[in-house]
């Protein structure tokens, strides 16, 4: 490690620890060692530590921006020929992602003070947010695949704990369990890929893996299995088909956690996939699977979002759709495009999540068919929804527009069908957001909206600040040296992007909405509406196939264990007891009988041995 590095660079390893320290300092309040009414100190300490992490990351970003990337490595474990290091890569991309995570975490924590003001377990919630932030910060800075996997596991655990925060509610427990088990499926497959890659490459550092991938070659079968294992983990983290249902169910958790889950948690999974992208070049099958999964998630998620009446679930499926576009960009080996999509989506989706959180806090309602007329009652929340939606659907000239316009230009050369996927997804997203806006913010105020008032300042402040960030996203993106050609797209690409957004906007504005009949009276239209509302009956399909098959094997294993394994053991035990009872009656107390028995046994033993030897 170079001793000429500045103090801020040398202490970069501390940035993930800020979140973990925030978790630790919150534990006394979370454990009830202090009065429960005095839970705010834990929240203030976490906000202060997150602010320190953001400032520390900003200082490092400025130095790396001027002098170039830096790698830090600290020996951790050496066993035989296995050497594991704690390593960090301070590249421009990783640091921008870090600032995105710490910045949105800071906004979310301030927002939480207002949203969960009456929550008696506020200290426990902030402890979990600190754990969440530390795991995400470590993932984006990690320069080792094994270390990334370890931190992804911590992210899975923190997701489970945050989704199950209100553990007294049965639906919350089910949602937390499903989120954990769904991610575990991807994590186990990813672990298989990590172990295999360690055996093949002999190291876990990404630079070592890239060097191995450039020179070594695997058999087609090994390359395919390795590639599928490496993409399985990010698929679960990014809520991609067929492991996408957990994000929808995770909306049962507190909304401030949903802000991070819909914006930066999925970003962390995609960044890990970006880091293994050079290795996936050896597996055309894995790249094809990524393209198929991304396309299904993008179109399918956008369609399913149109039929949801829960305001939080409309955003969760939108997240699945946009991360599907990121998967397509990664599969086509366009990392700059994937990063543009990730960063523009993260800030816009966080702002949208804050705005709908304000609606829920003001009305205690999540059903959009029971809301209306909030535009005049909640101006800050309404403005935040409009700005966040505009940034998400590529409204000129926000960050989403730059990302989509760049996408159309690049895809027009590589793949016309996937360019169509991008445009259709943009149009459907615009249609869905306009539908939600009309239901919630326009029209007459219904019963649950009549007494709604604007959110408190602790919720409004981060919404206003993040609105400014969304408006300035194009300026922030253009300032990056690696994105010099960001504005060098043709007018026809910009026209297609704007046109797709306008089509979705007009369709959303003209489509008839009925609050009284949220389901159509037309049987054919109602069948299609239910098909989308129930996510193409994916959950029912899983229950009839995978769940029932696993359940049948479990019952068979239980029967075999109970009747065969336990039966044999119990039979041997009963035989031993019966033999003991029989021998007990043969005890006479005469020593000559015992001597005779021993002599007969010795004779029989010697006879048997001699017979076998001859």
């Amino acid at each position: 490690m170079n001793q000429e590095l500045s103090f801020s660079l040398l202490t970069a390893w501390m940035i993930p620890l800020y979140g973990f320290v925030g978790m630790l300092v919150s534990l006394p309040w979370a454990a009830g060692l202090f009065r429960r009414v005095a839970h705010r100190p834990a929240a203030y300490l976490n906000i202060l530590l997150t602010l320190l992490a953001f400032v520390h990351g900003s200082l490092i970003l400025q130095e790396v921006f001027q002098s170039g990337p830096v790698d830090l490595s600290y020996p951790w474990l050496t066993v035989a020929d296995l050497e594991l290091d704690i390593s960090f890569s301070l590249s421009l991309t990783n640091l921008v992602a870090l600032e995105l995570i710490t910045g949105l975490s800071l906004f979310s924590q301030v927002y939480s003070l207002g949203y969960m003001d009456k929550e008696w377990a506020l200290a426990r919630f902030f402890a979990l947010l600190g754990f969440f932030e530390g795991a995400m910060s470590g993932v984006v800075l990690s320069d080792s695949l094994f270390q990334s996997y370890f931190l992804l596991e911590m992210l899975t655990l923190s997701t489970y704990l945050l989704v199950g925060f209100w553990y007294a509610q049965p639906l919350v427990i089910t949602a937390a369990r499903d989120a954990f088990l769904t991610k575990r499926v991807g994590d186990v497959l990813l672990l298989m890929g990590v172990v295999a890659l360690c055996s093949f490459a002999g190291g876990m550092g990404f630079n070592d893996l890239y060097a191995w991938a450039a020179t070594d070659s695997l058999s087609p079968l090994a390359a395919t299995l390795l590639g599928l294992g490496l993409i399985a983990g990010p698929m679960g983290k990014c809520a991609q088909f067929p492991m996408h249902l957990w994000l929808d169910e995770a909306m049962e958790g507190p909304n401030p956690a949903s802000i991070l889950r819909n914006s930066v948690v999925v970003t962390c999974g995609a960044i890990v996939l970006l880091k293994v992208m050079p290795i996936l070049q050896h597996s055309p099958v894995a790249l094809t699977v990524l393209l198929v999964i991304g396309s299904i998630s993008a179109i399918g998620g956008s369609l399913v979002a149109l039929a949801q009446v829960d305001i939080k679930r409309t955003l969760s499926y939108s997240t699945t759709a946009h991360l599907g576009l990121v998967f397509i960009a990664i599969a086509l080996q366009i990392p700059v495009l994937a990063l543009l999509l990730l960063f523009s989506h993260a800030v816009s989706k966080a702002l949208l999540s804050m705005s709908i959180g304000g609606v829920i806090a003001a009305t205690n309602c999540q059903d959009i068919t029971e809301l209306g007329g909030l535009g005049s009652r909640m101006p800050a929340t309404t403005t935040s929804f409009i700005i966040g939606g505009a940034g998400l659907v590529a409204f000129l000239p926000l960050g989403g527009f730059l990302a989509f316009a760049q996408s159309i230009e690049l895809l027009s050369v590589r793949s016309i069908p996937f360019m169509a996927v991008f445009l259709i997804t943009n149009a459907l997203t615009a249609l869905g957001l306009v539908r939600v806006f009309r239901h919630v913010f326009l029209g007459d105020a219904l019963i649950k909206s009549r007494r709604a008032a604007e959110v408190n300042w602790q919720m409004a402040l981060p919404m206003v600040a993040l609105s400014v960030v969304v408006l300035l996203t194009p300026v922030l993106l253009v300032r990056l040296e690696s994105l010099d050609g960001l504005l060098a797209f043709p007018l026809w690409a910009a026209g297609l992007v704007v046109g797709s957004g306008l089509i979705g906007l007009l369709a959303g504005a003209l489509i008839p909405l009925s609050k009284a009949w949220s389901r159509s009276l037309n049987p054919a239209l109602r069948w299609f509406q239910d098909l989308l509302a129930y996510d193409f009956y994916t959950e029912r399909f899983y229950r009839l196939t995978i769940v029932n098959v696993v359940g049948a094997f479990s019952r068979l294993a239980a029967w075999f264990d109970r009747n065969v394994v336990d039966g044999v053991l119990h039979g041997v035990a009963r035989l031993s007891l019966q033999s003991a009872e029989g021998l007990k009656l043969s005890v006479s107390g005469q020593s000559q009988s015992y001597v005779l028995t021993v002599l007969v046994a010795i004779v029989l033993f010697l006879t048997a041995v001699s017979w076998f030897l001859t």
Side-chain angles (χ1 to χ4, degrees):
M1 189 171 54
N2 191 351
Q3 297 298 325
E4 296 180 358
L5 298 178
S6 66
F7 178 78
S8 59
L9 289 174
L10 289 175
T11 56
W13 56 272
M14 294 177 56
I15 296 181
L17 296 183
Y18 287 116
F20 295 129
V21 171
M23 175 194 68
L24 293 176
V25 299
S26 301
L27 291 181
W29 285 272
L33 299 181
F34 299 105
R35 294 178 57 192
R36 291 196 179 275
V37 295
H39 50 212
R40 281 186 169 255
Y44 296 147
L45 288 173
N46 273 271
I47 292 174
L48 176 61
L49 288 168
T50 302
L51 178 60
L52 290 175
F54 181 79
V55 173
H56 194 171
S58 300
L59 296 175
I60 297 175
L61 179 60
Q62 291 179 4
E63 293 191 41
V64 170
F65 192 80
Q66 295 173 358
S67 58
V70 176
D71 294 333
L72 301 176
S73 181
Y74 306 92
W76 175 38
L77 178 65
T78 301
V79 178
D81 59 346
L82 177 63
E83 296 183 1
L84 296 178
D85 298 333
I86 298 177
S87 53
F88 300 97
S89 176
L90 306 181
S91 65
L92 188 61
T93 299
N94 291 348
L95 291 172
V96 171
L98 175 68
E99 289 298 276
L100 182 71
I101 289 170
T102 54
L104 292 182
S105 295
L106 181 62
F107 287 143
S108 177
Q109 290 178 9
V110 175
Y111 183 90
S112 301
L113 283 177
Y115 189 89
M116 306 185 70
D117 180 55
K118 298 179 181 179
E119 176 60 50
W120 64 269
L122 185 66
R124 176 163 59 89
F125 179 74
F126 270 86
L128 295 177
L129 283 184
F131 189 55
F132 213 36
E133 177 194 338
M136 290 188 293
S137 300
V139 167
V140 297
L141 291 182
S142 174
D143 195 33
S144 165
L145 183 57
F146 176 79
Q147 183 177 318
S148 299
Y149 174 80
F150 178 78
L151 291 165
L152 284 175
E153 291 297 286
M154 297 178 68
L155 195 56
T156 299
L157 175 60
S158 58
T159 300
Y160 169 76
L161 295 174
L162 278 169
V163 174
F165 178 76
W166 290 314
Y167 52 83
Q169 303 177 23
L171 283 177
V172 170
I173 297 300
T174 301
R177 180 201 61 196
D178 291 348
F180 182 78
L181 293 179
T182 302
K183 286 189 172 186
R184 291 301 301 145
V185 173
D187 290 342
V188 169
L189 295 175
L190 176 60
L191 178 59
M192 295 180 182
V194 170
V195 173
L197 197 55
C198 179
S199 175
F200 292 146
M204 285 283 94
F206 284 114
N207 290 329
D208 297 332
L209 296 178
Y210 299 156
W212 168 81
T215 58
D216 205 349
S217 61
L218 297 173
S219 64
L221 178 60
T224 298
L225 294 177
L226 177 61
L228 293 177
L230 292 177
I231 68 175
M235 279 171 52
K237 294 293 183 295
C238 297
Q240 294 296 283
F241 176 85
M243 294 187 282
H244 63 291
L245 295 178
W246 73 266
L247 187 61
D248 173 44
E249 295 187 63
M251 296 300 106
E252 297 292 340
N255 189 71
S258 300
I259 296 171
L260 298 177
R261 195 162 41 244
N262 275 324
S263 57
V264 288
V265 172
V266 292
T267 299
C268 289
I271 286 179
V272 172
L273 186 60
L274 271 170
K275 291 181 178 181
V276 300
M277 186 177 68
I279 305 172
L280 298 178
Q281 295 177 357
H282 290 281
S283 178
V285 174
L287 295 178
T288 302
V289 170
L290 277 180
L291 289 173
V292 173
I293 288 173
S295 301
I296 294 176
S297 300
I299 301 297
S302 301
L303 288 172
V304 172
L306 297 178
Q308 302 301 310
V309 296
D310 188 302
I311 191 171
K312 293 175 72 174
R313 296 192 174 191
T314 59
L315 292 192
S316 71
Y317 281 106
S318 172
T319 299
T320 297
H322 276 74
L323 267 293
L325 302 180
V326 175
F327 270 50
I328 292 175
I330 295 175
L332 295 176
Q333 307 289 301
I334 315 176
V336 173
L337 176 57
L339 291 171
L340 280 174
L341 292 169
L342 283 174
F343 294 151
S344 61
H345 167 265
V347 292
S348 299
K349 185 57 65 69
L351 182 57
L352 281 172
S353 299
M354 286 184 181
S355 64
I356 66 170
V359 171
I360 296 171
T363 62
N364 291 318
C365 178
Q366 297 181 203
D367 192 331
I368 62 175
T369 63
E370 298 179 5
L371 299 171
L374 293 178
S376 58
R377 290 172 170 79
M378 305 178 69
T381 303
T382 305
T383 305
S384 299
F385 187 92
I386 293 173
I387 295 175
L392 194 64
V393 300
F395 184 83
L396 184 71
L398 300 182
F401 167 76
L402 299 179
F404 270 83
Q406 198 76 10
S407 303
I408 298 305
E409 180 193 8
L410 295 174
L411 293 175
S412 65
V413 178
R414 301 197 180 196
S415 179
I416 296 295
F418 294 112
M419 182 180 73
V421 171
F422 273 66
L423 294 175
I424 293 172
T425 302
N426 188 46
L428 292 176
T429 301
L431 169 60
L433 290 177
V434 172
R435 165 181 167 266
V436 173
F437 183 79
R438 289 176 61 193
H439 267 300
V440 176
F441 296 101
L442 300 182
D444 298 328
L446 299 184
I447 295 177
K448 295 185 178 181
S449 303
R450 289 174 183 170
R451 294 188 177 183
E454 187 57 90
V455 296
N456 56 57
W457 71 269
Q458 291 168 324
M459 297 173 64
L461 178 62
M463 280 198 294
V464 173
L466 194 54
S467 298
V468 175
V469 173
V470 173
L471 293 174
L472 295 179
T473 299
V475 179
L476 298 176
L477 291 176
V478 173
R479 282 180 60 85
L480 297 178
E481 290 183 353
S482 59
L483 302 177
D484 283 337
L486 190 61
L487 299 177
F489 48 79
L491 290 178
W492 63 264
L496 287 176
V497 172
V498 174
S500 65
L502 288 176
I503 290 173
L505 190 149
L506 292 175
L510 298 177
I511 190 172
L513 299 178
S514 175
K515 295 180 181 293
W517 299 100
S518 57
R519 297 176 68 230
S520 174
L521 297 178
N522 187 314
L525 183 57
R526 185 169 65 246
W527 174 87
F528 183 69
Q529 187 178 15
D530 288 344
L531 181 68
L532 298 182
Y534 291 103
D535 196 357
F536 297 96
Y537 299 104
T538 306
E539 184 177 1
R540 186 176 302 178
F541 174 77
Y542 287 163
R543 190 169 299 279
L544 293 175
T545 54
I546 299 175
V547 175
N548 283 346
V549 170
V550 173
F553 274 111
S554 301
R555 289 189 292 270
L556 178 62
W559 178 89
F560 183 82
D561 181 68
R562 184 171 55 253
N563 295 279
V564 178
V565 177
D566 289 350
V568 171
L569 294 176
H570 292 166
V572 172
R574 284 192 296 269
L575 179 61
S576 300
L577 290 174
Q578 292 172 0
S579 301
E581 290 292 333
L583 291 173
K584 180 177 68 175
L585 298 176
S586 66
V587 175
S588 62
Q590 298 177 355
S591 59
Q592 59 269 27
S593 299
Y594 301 152
V595 173
L596 178 61
T597 302
V598 173
L599 291 175
V600 170
I602 292 174
V603 171
L604 292 176
F605 175 73
L606 294 175
T607 303
V609 170
S610 62
W611 183 77
F612 278 112
L613 292 176
T614 57

